[in-house]
Amino acid sequence: MVYITSWDDFVDRSVQLFRADPDSTRYVMKYRHCDGKLVLKVTDNKECLKFKTDQAQDVKKMEKLNNLFFTLMSRGPDADVSEVTGKEQTEARAGKKGRGRKQ
């Protein structure tokens, strides 16, 4: 289990691992408050990919990776993930608040 240092490489290899065997692939996040480190792990019991960070800006990247995996898990491993992004989708829906009438 070696940590992957490049975020883009970690994401690409994680998606490839999931698409190869979606039934046994797991995605785990672990945050250690005492160290201030976030560890992301994707494994299929044969291969293990890990990424470790202590940068607050990487939380946005982790959110995008979560959305990517949610999309792959809900739509299937052959889903098009090119339109999957982090916060932009939730902001687009935020404008449709409430169901009451306009005044």
Side-chain angles (χ1 to χ4, degrees), residues 4-84:
I4 298 174
T5 55
S6 168
W7 174 257
D8 294 329
D9 188 34
F10 175 73
V11 171
D12 292 339
R13 290 180 62 186
S14 298
V15 170
Q16 288 174 358
L17 188 67
F18 179 80
R19 286 187 167 156
D21 191 8
D23 291 333
S24 65
T25 302
R26 296 186 310 276
Y27 169 57
V28 180
M29 292 179 291
K30 184 168 81 171
Y31 178 71
R32 289 182 44 96
H33 182 70
C34 60
D35 297 335
K37 296 205 185 293
L38 175 70
V39 177
L40 306 173
K41 179 170 98 171
V42 179
T43 183
D44 67 347
N45 294 331
K46 297 172 201 147
E47 185 177 358
C48 183
L49 308 172
K50 290 178 110 178
F51 180 80
K52 179 170 44 173
T53 184
D54 59 356
Q55 301 296 315
Q57 64 198 19
D58 288 337
V59 174
K60 297 258 186 218
K61 293 178 183 177
M62 183 210 58
E63 181 182 351
K64 289 182 181 182
L65 184 66
N66 280 341
N67 287 340
L68 181 78
F69 272 112
F70 288 150
T71 301
L72 287 172
M73 290 177 185
S74 63
R75 295 184 190 168
D78 298 326
D80 181 26
V81 293
S82 61
E83 74 272 356
V84 176

